[in-house]
Amino acid sequence: MLSLEIPQVSSEAELTPKNRLLLVEDEDLIRDMIVVALEEEGYEVHTAIDGRSALNFLQSPNVTNGESAPDLIILDLMLPEINGLDICRLLRYQGNITPILVISAKASETDRVLGLEVGADDYLTKPFSMRELIARCRALLRRQRYSNLSPTPVQKFREISLFPQECRVIVRGEEVNLSPKEFRLLELFMSYPRRVWSREQLIEQVWGPDFLGDTKTVDVHIRWLREKVEKDPSQPEYLITVRGFGYRFG
Ligand code: CA
C-alpha cells in the first residue's frame, strides 16, 4: 500500500501557472490519496477510472484543441478496459507528446523497460510516497516547460510523426535517429505527400544547388531512410519509387 506521507512545502513551491494533470487509476483509495496530495500542491486534477474513459477524455474536443489538455498524465498500468501500456503506445502513435508518468505495482525490470519503450517518460513502482510522486511530477513538468519555450508543430503522416523544431522523428511509437540529410529529406517529403520528386529536385532542395555529387546519392539516402522508417524496407509504404520519375511519399 502507499504510505500516507504529506508532502512538505519545499523551496520549490515556486510561482507557476496551475498545471493540469490527468490521473488514470482504477483503485479508489490510491486515486483519492493522489488527488488530495496533488491538489494540495496546487495542481488541477482530472481523474479517469479506466483506460477507456481516459482515452475518451484525451480525445474529447476540449482536450484535442488544447483548451483543457493535461500537462502531464499519471498512468496506472493495470487498468480495466484498456491497459496503461496500450494507452501509452496509442498516444505516442498519435503524436501526443504529453509527459507520462507510469505508476505500477509491476516492479520487474521488464515492465519498467517496456513502459519506457512504449513512450512513458518516467516510472514509479507502487508503493511510493506522495512526496516522491510529487517530486517526479515536478521534474517532468519542468522538463516540459523548457521544451515548450517554442511551439513545436508536428507533421504527421500515418505512423510517422516529425517534429521539425526538435529534429525528432517518431515511427510506430519509437524514436528513430536520422542524419541531418535524412531528416531534411523526410521533412520535405512529409510537407508534400504524394508529390513526385525527381532526383535533381531532391538534390536541389536538400543538398542545395552547389552540390557536385551524383544523383545516385539520393538513391542511397532513400535506401537508408527506408531502413529507418519502413516496416519492410523492401516493400516500402512511405518512400515510393516512381519509375522513370523519382520518388514520392505516401
Ligand atoms: Ca490498477
Side-chain angles (χ1 to χ4, degrees), residues 122-195:
D122 201 359
Y123 193 110
L124 198 51
T125 304
K126 293 175 184 172
F128 50 78
S129 72
M130 289 301 124
R131 188 187 298 194
E132 173 151 29
L133 176 78
I134 282 164
R136 302 284 186 105
C137 289
R138 276 192 191 143
L140 286 173
L141 288 165
R142 204 179 305 130
R143 218 193 292 167
Q144 171 77 345
R145 205 153 61 230
Y146 293 136
S147 67
N148 271 355
L149 286 178
S150 53
T152 52
V154 49
Q155 287 182 23
K156 276 205 315 181
F157 190 90
R158 278 152 48 193
E159 302 166 314
I160 305 180
S161 302
L162 181 141
F163 303 84
Q165 295 178 9
E166 300 171 26
C167 297
R168 246 164 30 101
V169 174
I170 309 253
V171 181
R172 289 177 287 280
E174 310 238 345
E175 184 143 4
V176 292
N177 281 321
L178 299 185
S179 72
K181 287 282 185 288
E182 290 162 357
F183 185 86
R184 288 188 55 200
L185 255 180
L186 185 62
E187 188 179 18
L188 179 68
F189 276 125
M190 289 183 72
S191 306
Y192 302 92
R194 303 197 67 80
R195 173 185 164 154

Coordinates of all heavy atoms in Angstrom, one line a residue, residues 122-195:
D122 N 8.6 8.4 -17.3 CA 9.2 8.0 -16.0 C 8.3 6.9 -15.5 O 7.2 6.7 -15.9 CB 9.2 9.2 -15.1 CG 10.2 9.0 -14.0 OD1 10.8 8.0 -13.9 OD2 10.3 10.0 -13.1
Y123 N 8.8 6.2 -14.5 CA 8.2 5.0 -14.0 C 8.3 5.0 -12.5 O 9.4 5.1 -12.0 CB 8.8 3.8 -14.6 CG 8.1 2.5 -14.4 CD1 7.5 1.9 -15.6 CD2 8.0 1.8 -13.2 CE1 6.8 0.7 -15.4 CE2 7.3 0.6 -13.1 CZ 6.8 0.0 -14.2 OH 6.1 -1.2 -14.1
L124 N 7.2 4.8 -11.8 CA 7.3 4.8 -10.3 C 6.6 3.5 -9.9 O 5.5 3.2 -10.3 CB 6.6 6.1 -9.8 CG 6.8 6.5 -8.4 CD1 8.2 6.7 -8.0 CD2 6.1 7.9 -8.2
T125 N 7.3 2.8 -9.0 CA 6.7 1.5 -8.6 C 5.9 1.6 -7.3 O 6.4 2.3 -6.3 CB 7.9 0.5 -8.3 OG1 8.6 0.4 -9.5 CG2 7.3 -0.9 -8.0
K126 N 4.8 1.1 -7.2 CA 4.0 1.1 -6.0 C 4.5 0.1 -5.0 O 5.0 -1.0 -5.5 CB 2.5 0.7 -6.3 CG 1.8 1.7 -7.2 CD 0.4 1.1 -7.5 CE -0.4 2.0 -8.5 NZ -1.6 1.3 -8.9
P127 N 4.6 0.3 -3.8 CA 4.1 1.6 -3.1 C 5.1 2.7 -3.2 O 6.3 2.4 -3.2 CB 3.9 1.1 -1.7 CG 4.9 0.0 -1.5 CD 5.1 -0.7 -2.8
F128 N 4.6 3.9 -3.3 CA 5.6 5.0 -3.3 C 5.0 6.1 -2.4 O 3.8 6.0 -2.0 CB 5.7 5.6 -4.7 CG 4.4 5.8 -5.4 CD1 3.6 7.0 -5.1 CD2 3.9 4.9 -6.3 CE1 2.4 7.2 -5.7 CE2 2.7 5.1 -6.9 CZ 1.9 6.3 -6.6
S129 N 5.9 7.0 -2.0 CA 5.4 8.1 -1.1 C 4.8 9.2 -2.0 O 5.3 9.4 -3.1 CB 6.5 8.6 -0.2 OG 7.4 9.3 -1.0
M130 N 3.9 9.9 -1.4 CA 3.3 11.1 -2.1 C 4.4 12.1 -2.4 O 4.4 12.8 -3.5 CB 2.2 11.7 -1.3 CG 0.9 10.9 -1.2 SD 0.2 10.5 -2.9 CE 0.2 8.8 -2.8
R131 N 5.4 12.2 -1.5 CA 6.4 13.1 -1.7 C 7.2 12.8 -3.0 O 7.6 13.7 -3.8 CB 7.4 13.2 -0.5 CG 8.4 14.3 -0.6 CD 9.4 14.2 0.5 NE 8.7 14.3 1.8 CZ 9.4 14.5 2.9 NH1 10.7 14.6 2.9 NH2 8.8 14.6 4.1
E132 N 7.5 11.5 -3.2 CA 8.2 11.1 -4.3 C 7.4 11.3 -5.6 O 7.9 11.8 -6.6 CB 8.6 9.6 -4.2 CG 9.3 9.2 -5.5 CD 10.3 8.0 -5.4 OE1 10.1 7.3 -4.5 OE2 11.2 8.0 -6.2
L133 N 6.1 11.0 -5.5 CA 5.3 11.2 -6.7 C 5.3 12.7 -7.1 O 5.5 13.0 -8.3 CB 3.8 10.8 -6.4 CG 2.8 11.1 -7.5 CD1 3.0 10.0 -8.6 CD2 1.4 11.1 -7.0
I134 N 5.2 13.5 -6.1 CA 5.2 15.0 -6.5 C 6.5 15.5 -7.0 O 6.5 16.2 -8.0 CB 4.7 15.8 -5.3 CG1 3.2 15.6 -5.2 CG2 5.0 17.2 -5.3 CD1 2.5 15.9 -3.9
A135 N 7.6 14.9 -6.5 CA 8.9 15.3 -7.0 C 9.0 14.9 -8.5 O 9.5 15.7 -9.3 CB 10.0 14.7 -6.2
R136 N 8.6 13.7 -8.8 CA 8.6 13.2 -10.2 C 7.8 14.1 -11.1 O 8.1 14.4 -12.2 CB 8.2 11.8 -10.3 CG 8.9 10.8 -9.4 CD 10.3 10.5 -10.0 NE 10.9 9.4 -9.2 CZ 11.0 8.2 -9.7 NH1 10.6 7.8 -10.8 NH2 11.6 7.3 -8.9
C137 N 6.6 14.4 -10.6 CA 5.7 15.2 -11.4 C 6.3 16.6 -11.7 O 6.3 17.1 -12.8 CB 4.3 15.5 -10.7 SG 3.3 14.0 -10.6
R138 N 6.9 17.2 -10.7 CA 7.5 18.5 -10.9 C 8.6 18.4 -11.9 O 8.8 19.3 -12.7 CB 8.1 18.9 -9.5 CG 7.2 19.6 -8.6 CD 8.0 20.2 -7.5 NE 7.1 20.7 -6.5 CZ 7.4 20.6 -5.2 NH1 8.5 20.2 -4.8 NH2 6.5 21.1 -4.3
A139 N 9.5 17.3 -11.8 CA 10.6 17.2 -12.7 C 10.1 17.1 -14.1 O 10.6 17.8 -15.0 CB 11.4 16.0 -12.3
L140 N 9.1 16.3 -14.3 CA 8.5 16.1 -15.7 C 7.9 17.4 -16.2 O 8.1 17.8 -17.4 CB 7.5 15.0 -15.7 CG 8.1 13.6 -15.6 CD1 6.9 12.6 -15.5 CD2 8.9 13.3 -16.8
L141 N 7.2 18.1 -15.3 CA 6.6 19.4 -15.8 C 7.7 20.4 -16.1 O 7.5 21.2 -17.0 CB 5.6 19.9 -14.7 CG 4.4 19.1 -14.6 CD1 3.6 19.4 -13.3 CD2 3.4 19.3 -15.8
R142 N 8.7 20.4 -15.3 CA 9.8 21.4 -15.5 C 10.4 21.1 -16.9 O 10.6 22.0 -17.7 CB 10.9 21.2 -14.4 CG 11.7 22.5 -14.2 CD 12.7 22.3 -13.1 NE 12.1 21.9 -11.9 CZ 12.5 20.8 -11.1 NH1 13.5 20.1 -11.6 NH2 11.9 20.5 -10.0
R143 N 10.7 19.8 -17.2 CA 11.3 19.5 -18.4 C 10.4 19.9 -19.6 O 10.8 20.5 -20.6 CB 11.4 18.0 -18.5 CG 12.7 17.5 -19.2 CD 12.7 16.0 -19.4 NE 12.7 15.2 -18.3 CZ 12.5 13.9 -18.3 NH1 12.1 13.3 -19.4 NH2 12.5 13.2 -17.2
Q144 N 9.1 19.7 -19.4 CA 8.1 20.0 -20.4 C 8.1 21.5 -20.6 O 8.0 22.0 -21.8 CB 6.7 19.5 -19.9 CG 5.5 20.0 -20.7 CD 5.4 19.2 -22.0 OE1 6.3 18.5 -22.4 NE2 4.3 19.3 -22.7
R145 N 8.2 22.3 -19.5 CA 8.1 23.8 -19.6 C 9.3 24.2 -20.5 O 9.1 25.1 -21.3 CB 8.2 24.4 -18.2 CG 7.6 25.7 -18.2 CD 7.1 26.0 -16.8 NE 8.1 26.0 -15.8 CZ 8.0 25.3 -14.6 NH1 6.9 24.6 -14.4 NH2 9.0 25.3 -13.7
Y146 N 10.5 23.7 -20.3 CA 11.6 24.1 -21.1 C 11.4 23.8 -22.6 O 11.7 24.5 -23.5 CB 12.9 23.5 -20.6 CG 13.2 24.1 -19.2 CD1 13.7 23.3 -18.2 CD2 13.1 25.5 -19.0 CE1 14.0 23.8 -16.9 CE2 13.3 26.0 -17.7 CZ 13.8 25.2 -16.7 OH 14.1 25.7 -15.5
S147 N 10.9 22.5 -22.8 CA 10.8 22.2 -24.2 C 9.6 22.9 -24.9 O 9.5 22.9 -26.1 CB 10.6 20.6 -24.3 OG 9.4 20.3 -23.8
N148 N 8.8 23.6 -24.1 CA 7.6 24.3 -24.6 C 8.0 25.8 -24.9 O 7.1 26.5 -25.2 CB 6.5 24.3 -23.7 CG 5.6 23.1 -23.9 OD1 5.8 22.3 -24.9 ND2 4.6 22.9 -23.1
L149 N 9.2 26.1 -24.7 CA 9.6 27.5 -24.9 C 9.2 28.0 -26.3 O 8.8 29.1 -26.5 CB 11.1 27.7 -24.7 CG 11.4 27.7 -23.2 CD1 12.9 27.9 -23.0 CD2 10.6 28.7 -22.4
S150 N 9.4 27.1 -27.3 CA 8.9 27.5 -28.6 C 7.8 26.4 -29.0 O 7.9 25.3 -28.6 CB 10.1 27.4 -29.6 OG 10.7 26.2 -29.5
P151 N 6.9 26.9 -29.8 CA 5.8 25.9 -30.2 C 6.5 24.8 -31.0 O 7.4 25.1 -31.8 CB 4.9 26.8 -31.0 CG 5.6 28.0 -31.4 CD 6.7 28.2 -30.4
T152 N 6.0 23.6 -30.9 CA 6.6 22.5 -31.6 C 5.5 21.9 -32.5 O 4.9 20.9 -32.1 CB 7.1 21.4 -30.7 OG1 6.1 21.1 -29.8 CG2 8.3 21.9 -30.0
P153 N 5.3 22.5 -33.7 CA 4.3 21.9 -34.5 C 4.8 20.5 -35.0 O 6.0 20.3 -35.0 CB 4.2 22.8 -35.7 CG 5.5 23.6 -35.7 CD 5.9 23.6 -34.3
V154 N 3.9 19.6 -35.2 CA 4.3 18.3 -35.6 C 3.7 18.0 -37.0 O 2.5 18.3 -37.3 CB 3.9 17.3 -34.5 CG1 2.4 17.4 -34.1 CG2 4.1 15.8 -35.0
Q155 N 4.5 17.3 -37.8 CA 4.0 16.8 -39.1 C 3.7 15.4 -38.9 O 4.6 14.6 -38.5 CB 5.0 17.0 -40.2 CG 5.2 18.5 -40.6 CD 6.2 18.6 -41.8 OE1 6.4 17.6 -42.5 NE2 6.7 19.7 -41.9
K156 N 2.4 15.0 -39.2 CA 2.1 13.6 -39.0 C 1.6 13.0 -40.3 O 0.9 13.6 -41.1 CB 1.0 13.5 -38.0 CG 1.5 13.5 -36.6 CD 0.5 12.8 -35.6 CE -0.9 13.1 -35.8 NZ -1.7 12.4 -34.8
F157 N 2.1 11.8 -40.5 CA 1.5 11.0 -41.7 C 1.5 9.6 -41.2 O 2.5 9.0 -41.0 CB 2.4 11.2 -42.9 CG 1.8 10.6 -44.2 CD1 1.0 11.4 -45.0 CD2 2.0 9.3 -44.5 CE1 0.4 10.9 -46.1 CE2 1.4 8.8 -45.7 CZ 0.6 9.6 -46.5
R158 N 0.3 9.0 -41.1 CA 0.1 7.7 -40.7 C 1.0 7.4 -39.4 O 0.8 7.9 -38.4 CB 0.3 6.7 -41.8 CG -1.0 6.6 -42.6 CD -0.9 6.2 -44.0 NE -0.1 5.1 -44.3 CZ 0.4 4.7 -45.5 NH1 0.0 5.4 -46.5 NH2 1.1 3.7 -45.7
E159 N 2.0 6.5 -39.6 CA 2.7 6.0 -38.4 C 3.9 6.9 -38.1 O 4.7 6.7 -37.2 CB 3.2 4.6 -38.6 CG 2.1 3.6 -38.8 CD 2.7 2.3 -39.3 OE1 3.6 2.3 -40.2 OE2 2.3 1.2 -38.8
I160 N 4.1 8.0 -38.9 CA 5.3 8.8 -38.7 C 5.0 10.2 -38.2 O 4.1 10.9 -38.7 CB 6.1 9.0 -40.1 CG1 6.3 7.6 -40.7 CG2 7.3 9.8 -39.9 CD1 7.1 7.6 -42.0
S161 N 5.6 10.6 -37.1 CA 5.5 12.0 -36.6 C 6.8 12.6 -36.7 O 7.8 12.1 -36.2 CB 5.0 12.0 -35.2 OG 3.8 11.3 -35.1
L162 N 6.8 13.8 -37.2 CA 8.1 14.5 -37.4 C 8.0 15.9 -36.7 O 7.0 16.6 -36.9 CB 8.4 14.7 -38.9 CG 9.7 15.4 -39.2 CD1 10.4 14.7 -40.4 CD2 9.5 16.9 -39.5
F163 N 8.9 16.2 -35.8 CA 8.9 17.4 -35.0 C 10.0 18.3 -35.5 O 11.2 18.2 -35.2 CB 9.1 17.1 -33.5 CG 8.1 16.2 -32.9 CD1 8.3 14.8 -33.1 CD2 6.9 16.6 -32.3 CE1 7.3 13.9 -32.6 CE2 6.0 15.8 -31.8 CZ 6.2 14.4 -32.0
P164 N 9.7 19.2 -36.5 CA 10.7 20.0 -37.2 C 11.6 20.7 -36.2 O 12.8 20.8 -36.5 CB 9.9 21.0 -38.0 CG 8.5 20.4 -38.1 CD 8.3 19.6 -36.8
Q165 N 11.1 21.4 -35.2 CA 11.9 22.2 -34.3 C 12.8 21.4 -33.4 O 13.8 21.9 -32.9 CB 11.1 23.2 -33.6 CG 10.4 24.1 -34.5 CD 9.6 25.1 -33.8 OE1 9.6 25.2 -32.6 NE2 8.8 25.9 -34.6
E166 N 12.4 20.1 -33.2 CA 13.2 19.3 -32.3 C 14.1 18.3 -33.1 O 14.9 17.6 -32.5 CB 12.3 18.5 -31.4 CG 11.4 19.3 -30.5 CD 10.4 18.5 -29.8 OE1 10.6 17.3 -29.5 OE2 9.3 19.0 -29.5
C167 N 14.0 18.4 -34.4 CA 14.7 17.4 -35.3 C 14.5 16.0 -34.8 O 15.4 15.2 -34.6 CB 16.2 17.8 -35.3 SG 16.4 19.4 -36.1
R168 N 13.2 15.7 -34.4 CA 13.0 14.4 -33.9 C 11.9 13.7 -34.8 O 11.0 14.3 -35.3 CB 12.4 14.5 -32.5 CG 13.2 13.9 -31.4 CD 12.8 14.4 -30.0 NE 11.5 14.7 -29.8 CZ 10.6 13.9 -29.2 NH1 11.0 12.7 -28.8 NH2 9.4 14.3 -29.0
V169 N 12.1 12.4 -34.9 CA 11.1 11.6 -35.7 C 10.7 10.4 -34.9 O 11.5 9.7 -34.3 CB 11.7 11.2 -37.1 CG1 10.7 10.3 -37.8 CG2 12.0 12.4 -37.9
I170 N 9.4 10.2 -34.8 CA 8.8 9.0 -34.1 C 8.1 8.1 -35.1 O 7.3 8.6 -35.9 CB 7.8 9.4 -33.0 CG1 8.4 10.5 -32.1 CG2 7.3 8.2 -32.3 CD1 8.8 10.1 -30.8
V171 N 8.5 6.9 -35.2 CA 7.9 6.0 -36.1 C 7.4 4.8 -35.3 O 8.1 4.2 -34.6 CB 8.9 5.4 -37.2 CG1 8.3 4.5 -38.1 CG2 9.5 6.6 -37.9
R172 N 6.1 4.5 -35.5 CA 5.4 3.5 -34.7 C 5.7 3.5 -33.3 O 6.0 2.5 -32.6 CB 5.7 2.1 -35.3 CG 5.1 1.8 -36.7 CD 5.5 0.5 -37.3 NE 6.8 0.5 -37.8 CZ 7.2 1.0 -38.9 NH1 6.3 1.5 -39.8 NH2 8.5 1.0 -39.3
G173 N 5.7 4.8 -32.7 CA 5.9 4.9 -31.3 C 7.3 4.9 -30.8 O 7.6 5.1 -29.7
E174 N 8.3 4.8 -31.7 CA 9.7 4.7 -31.3 C 10.4 5.8 -32.0 O 10.3 6.1 -33.2 CB 10.3 3.4 -31.8 CG 9.5 2.2 -31.4 CD 10.3 1.2 -30.5 OE1 11.5 1.4 -30.4 OE2 9.7 0.4 -29.9
E175 N 11.3 6.4 -31.3 CA 12.2 7.5 -31.8 C 13.2 6.8 -32.8 O 13.8 5.8 -32.4 CB 12.9 8.2 -30.7 CG 13.7 9.4 -31.2 CD 13.6 10.6 -30.3 OE1 13.0 10.5 -29.2 OE2 14.2 11.6 -30.7
V176 N 13.4 7.4 -33.9 CA 14.4 6.9 -34.8 C 15.5 8.0 -35.0 O 15.2 9.2 -35.0 CB 13.9 6.5 -36.2 CG1 13.0 5.3 -36.1 CG2 13.1 7.6 -36.9
N177 N 16.7 7.6 -35.2 CA 17.8 8.5 -35.4 C 18.1 8.7 -36.9 O 18.4 7.8 -37.6 CB 19.1 7.9 -34.7 CG 19.1 8.2 -33.2 OD1 18.7 9.2 -32.8 ND2 19.6 7.2 -32.5
L178 N 17.9 9.9 -37.3 CA 18.2 10.2 -38.7 C 19.4 11.2 -38.8 O 19.6 12.0 -37.9 CB 17.0 10.9 -39.3 CG 15.6 10.1 -39.3 CD1 14.6 10.9 -40.1 CD2 15.8 8.8 -40.0
S179 N 20.1 11.0 -39.9 CA 21.2 12.0 -40.1 C 20.5 13.3 -40.6 O 19.4 13.3 -41.0 CB 22.1 11.5 -41.2 OG 21.4 11.6 -42.5
P180 N 21.2 14.4 -40.6 CA 20.6 15.7 -41.0 C 20.0 15.6 -42.4 O 18.9 16.1 -42.6 CB 21.8 16.7 -40.9 CG 22.7 16.1 -39.9 CD 22.6 14.6 -40.0
K181 N 20.7 15.0 -43.3 CA 20.2 14.9 -44.7 C 18.9 14.0 -44.7 O 18.0 14.3 -45.4 CB 21.3 14.3 -45.6 CG 22.4 15.3 -45.9 CD 22.0 16.3 -47.0 CE 23.2 17.2 -47.4 NZ 23.5 18.2 -46.3
E182 N 19.0 12.9 -44.0 CA 17.8 12.0 -44.0 C 16.6 12.8 -43.4 O 15.5 12.7 -43.9 CB 18.1 10.8 -43.2 CG 19.1 9.8 -43.8 CD 19.6 8.8 -42.8 OE1 19.3 8.9 -41.6 OE2 20.4 8.0 -43.2
F183 N 16.9 13.6 -42.4 CA 15.8 14.3 -41.7 C 15.2 15.3 -42.7 O 14.0 15.5 -42.8 CB 16.4 15.0 -40.5 CG 15.3 15.7 -39.7 CD1 14.5 15.1 -38.8 CD2 15.0 17.1 -39.9 CE1 13.5 15.7 -38.1 CE2 14.0 17.7 -39.2 CZ 13.2 17.0 -38.3
R184 N 16.1 16.0 -43.4 CA 15.6 17.1 -44.3 C 14.8 16.4 -45.5 O 13.8 17.0 -46.0 CB 16.7 18.0 -44.8 CG 17.2 18.9 -43.7 CD 18.2 19.9 -44.1 NE 17.7 20.7 -45.2 CZ 18.5 21.4 -46.0 NH1 19.8 21.4 -45.9 NH2 17.9 22.1 -47.0
L185 N 15.3 15.3 -45.9 CA 14.6 14.6 -47.0 C 13.2 14.2 -46.5 O 12.2 14.5 -47.2 CB 15.3 13.3 -47.3 CG 16.1 13.2 -48.6 CD1 16.7 11.8 -48.7 CD2 15.3 13.5 -49.8
L186 N 13.1 13.6 -45.3 CA 11.8 13.2 -44.8 C 10.9 14.4 -44.6 O 9.7 14.3 -44.9 CB 12.0 12.4 -43.5 CG 10.7 11.8 -42.9 CD1 10.1 10.8 -43.9 CD2 11.0 11.1 -41.6
E187 N 11.5 15.5 -44.1 CA 10.7 16.7 -43.8 C 10.1 17.2 -45.1 O 8.9 17.6 -45.2 CB 11.5 17.7 -43.1 CG 10.8 18.9 -42.6 CD 11.6 20.0 -42.0 OE1 12.9 19.9 -42.1 OE2 11.0 20.8 -41.3
L188 N 10.9 17.2 -46.1 CA 10.4 17.7 -47.4 C 9.3 16.8 -48.0 O 8.3 17.3 -48.4 CB 11.6 17.7 -48.4 CG 11.3 18.2 -49.8 CD1 10.9 19.6 -49.9 CD2 12.5 17.9 -50.8
F189 N 9.6 15.5 -47.9 CA 8.5 14.5 -48.4 C 7.2 14.7 -47.6 O 6.1 14.8 -48.2 CB 9.0 13.1 -48.2 CG 9.9 12.6 -49.3 CD1 11.1 12.1 -49.1 CD2 9.4 12.6 -50.6 CE1 11.9 11.6 -50.1 CE2 10.2 12.1 -51.7 CZ 11.5 11.6 -51.4
M190 N 7.3 14.8 -46.3 CA 6.1 14.9 -45.5 C 5.4 16.2 -45.7 O 4.2 16.3 -45.4 CB 6.5 14.7 -44.0 CG 6.8 13.2 -43.7 SD 7.2 12.9 -42.0 CE 5.5 13.0 -41.3
S191 N 6.1 17.3 -46.1 CA 5.4 18.5 -46.4 C 4.6 18.5 -47.7 O 3.7 19.3 -47.9 CB 6.5 19.7 -46.5 OG 7.3 19.7 -45.4
Y192 N 4.9 17.5 -48.6 CA 4.2 17.4 -49.8 C 3.8 16.0 -50.1 O 4.4 15.3 -51.0 CB 5.0 18.0 -51.0 CG 5.5 19.4 -50.8 CD1 6.7 19.7 -50.2 CD2 4.6 20.4 -51.2 CE1 7.1 21.0 -50.1 CE2 5.0 21.8 -51.1 CZ 6.3 22.0 -50.5 OH 6.7 23.3 -50.4
P193 N 2.9 15.4 -49.3 CA 2.6 14.0 -49.5 C 2.1 13.8 -51.0 O 1.4 14.6 -51.5 CB 1.4 13.7 -48.5 CG 1.5 14.8 -47.5 CD 2.1 16.0 -48.2
R194 N 2.5 12.6 -51.5 CA 2.2 12.1 -52.8 C 2.8 12.9 -54.0 O 2.6 12.6 -55.1 CB 0.7 12.0 -53.0 CG 0.0 11.1 -51.9 CD -1.4 10.7 -52.3 NE -1.4 9.8 -53.5 CZ -1.1 8.5 -53.4 NH1 -0.8 8.0 -52.3 NH2 -1.2 7.8 -54.5
R195 N 3.4 14.0 -53.7 CA 4.1 14.8 -54.8 C 5.3 14.0 -55.3 O 6.0 13.4 -54.5 CB 4.5 16.1 -54.3 CG 5.3 16.8 -55.3 CD 6.0 18.1 -54.9 NE 7.0 18.5 -55.8 CZ 7.4 19.7 -56.1 NH1 6.9 20.7 -55.4 NH2 8.3 19.9 -57.0

